[in-house]
Amino acid sequence: MFERQNPREPRWLGPSASARVALIPSISAARWLLLFIALAAIYFFYGFIIPVLAALVIGFATWPLYSDLLRRTGGNRTIAATIAIILIVTFLVLPIVFAVIYTSGEVRDWFAWAVHANRFGAPTPQWIVALPVVGSWLDEQWTQYIGDPGSIGELAQVVSGANIGNIYRAVLAAGGGAFHVVLTLLFMLIALFFVYRDGASFVRQLDLIGERILPNRWERISRVVPATISSTVMGMTVIAIGEGIVLGLAYWVAGVPSPVTLGVLTGIMALVPGGAPLSFTLVAIYLLANGDHVAGIGLVIWGTVELFIVDKTLRPKLVGGPIKLPFLPTFFGLVGGVKTMGFLGLFIGPVLMAIIVAIWREWIREVELAEEQAQREPELQLRIHREASEG
């Protein structure tokens, strides 16, 4: 049998140290380990990031409503989460799905008209010619790029590099991706159910890790991020959807062609500051130029009153004030969200940009406070010195 070596005797590689010092501090090791785990999770579960992000955004934004629902169900998290999912499907998912279905049909009609106009040509509409100041110029542009046979195809070739027939077939085949969209929505709802049911426990665990990794900043970040998500979703996304629905109904009442598609475009434009007024103003100009003066003026009045009510009553009640998100981050959030995440990126992109802007503002505020404190320290020391000398 091997005899146990005396721990005080020197080892064959050298004397043993009584107190070991880690090469990497535990806090730094924990941070790098957490970063490595996060990158590995993103790599392996990249296909599920979009629905999970959507579930987290919806969960953060609707958590106060879920808390009230949890109280009404006697604290039963499973029942409360189930009821919340049913409400989300009824009042959020199904309306968006129906709007997308109708919009897809109208967009296909637009492309079918474009194919027909490219084959046989299309005269300039009379309402465009009748526009004051710009009517004649628009008539020339229409004749050059749309009126003659083959003009739309040449324009599409220059802009996109693809033949208009290929573009039309791609639009028709876009319905083939409906199964993928349905799976994404289904996975988002499943993730949202567990966000509701186990969200409180997950937040407690996240706070423990966050305070360990970022002891000086986690309290402020954990306060800013949920408030930013809730304010962005309620103040931008929900109101934009509402404006798209209300103005879409106004388009339908006014007799505008393709009211659903125009309503969806108005809702998307409403995410950008000034987008909703621009949208219904252009539609009103179309109605006025087409000779329907009553509908055009009525649409302007309707849109103005609706925006006034939203900005003065609904938005302050939902978020406690207007969302002060600059135009450029909002625009980048929309474009980048759609490019990387598809349709859900319309809602996730602005939220992520709002979080980045909020954290940036918090860091700037910390720097400014530190500079103010550094400037006050000499004055404070001088005052203490004067008081001590006078005493």
Side-chain angles (χ1 to χ4, degrees):
M1 296 180 64
F2 295 100
E3 295 182 0
R4 185 176 181 180
Q5 186 178 7
N6 189 352
R8 295 184 178 180
E9 296 179 357
R11 299 181 180 181
W12 67 281
L13 288 177
S16 60
S18 58
R20 297 188 180 93
V21 178
L23 295 177
I24 302 176
S26 58
I27 296 296
S28 299
R31 291 175 180 174
W32 284 107
L33 180 61
L34 182 62
L35 178 62
F36 174 75
I37 294 175
L39 293 177
I42 292 174
Y43 176 77
F44 287 108
F45 301 104
Y46 174 77
F48 303 101
I49 291 178
I50 296 175
V52 169
L53 283 177
L56 290 175
V57 168
I58 296 174
F60 271 115
T62 59
W63 192 261
L65 301 177
Y66 170 74
S67 299
D68 183 69
L69 186 61
L70 183 63
R71 180 181 57 82
R72 294 177 182 273
T73 55
N76 192 319
R77 298 185 180 275
T78 302
I79 295 177
T82 303
I83 297 175
I85 292 298
I86 294 174
L87 295 176
I88 290 293
V89 171
T90 303
F91 295 103
L92 182 62
V93 176
L94 290 181
I96 292 178
V97 169
F98 289 146
V100 170
I101 291 175
Y102 278 105
T103 301
S104 300
E106 292 180 353
V107 170
R108 289 180 182 180
D109 294 338
W110 289 2
F111 272 91
W113 174 87
V115 172
H116 183 272
N118 182 68
R119 183 176 301 173
F120 303 103
T124 308
Q126 189 61 34
W127 67 271
I128 293 181
V129 179
L131 288 174
V133 181
V134 297
S136 58
W137 180 79
L138 291 177
D139 183 23
E140 295 176 359
Q141 301 301 315
W142 182 286
T143 303
Q144 180 180 357
Y145 295 108
I146 299 177
D148 295 333
S151 298
I152 298 180
E154 295 177 0
L155 180 62
Q157 185 75 26
V158 172
V159 174
S160 64
N163 184 273
I164 187 173
N166 295 333
I167 298 176
Y168 178 58
R169 283 188 289 271
V171 172
L172 293 179
F179 182 71
H180 175 71
V181 174
V182 170
L183 286 181
T184 302
L185 288 175
L186 180 61
F187 190 83
M188 183 199 73
L189 293 175
I190 294 174
L192 182 59
F193 173 82
F194 287 100
V195 167
Y196 283 140
R197 197 189 70 173
D198 304 322
S201 175
F202 178 74
V203 168
R204 285 193 296 269
Q205 299 174 19
L206 191 62
D207 283 337
L208 292 175
I209 298 176
E211 291 174 357
R212 181 69 175 174
I213 298 175
L214 299 172
N216 297 326
R217 291 189 175 92
W218 179 255
E219 182 179 0
R220 186 174 290 110
I221 292 176
S222 63
R223 185 187 72 251
V224 169
V225 171
T228 303
I229 293 176
S230 178
S231 299
T232 305
V233 173
M234 301 302 293
M236 291 179 58
T237 307
V238 173
I239 290 179
I241 293 175
E243 288 182 347
I245 294 174
V246 172
L247 291 175
L249 291 175
Y251 299 156
W252 176 72
V253 172
V256 179
S258 305
V260 178
T261 301
L262 293 177
V264 171
L265 293 177
T266 301
I268 295 174
M269 290 292 295
L271 293 170
V272 181
L278 177 63
S279 299
F280 73 74
T281 300
L282 292 176
V283 176
I285 291 175
Y286 160 77
L287 291 173
L288 293 174
N290 208 25
D292 199 347
H293 301 88
V294 175
I297 297 174
L299 180 60
V300 172
I301 296 174
W302 177 283
T304 304
V305 172
E306 182 264 340
L307 289 179
F308 179 81
I309 293 175
V310 167
D311 291 335
K312 298 300 180 181
T313 60
L314 293 181
R315 198 187 302 272
K317 288 184 178 180
L318 287 175
V319 299
I323 299 299
K324 296 181 181 179
L325 188 63
F327 172 81
L328 198 58
T330 305
F331 181 75
F332 284 165
L334 288 173
V335 176
V338 172
K339 185 176 180 180
T340 57
M341 304 178 189
F343 176 74
L344 292 177
L346 283 174
F347 311 102
I348 300 176
V351 171
L352 296 180
M353 290 302 299
I355 293 174
I356 294 174
V357 171
I359 295 177
W360 175 264
R361 287 173 176 172
E362 284 294 320
W363 284 346
I364 295 297
R365 180 173 173 271
E366 288 183 4
V367 173
E368 292 176 350
L369 292 176
E371 291 180 352
E372 292 178 1
Q373 186 176 2
Q375 293 175 359
R376 292 176 182 176
E377 282 183 359
E379 299 178 359
L380 182 60
Q381 292 178 0
L382 181 60
R383 185 181 301 175
I384 294 174
H385 179 70
R386 287 179 180 177
E387 292 177 355
S389 61
E390 291 176 358

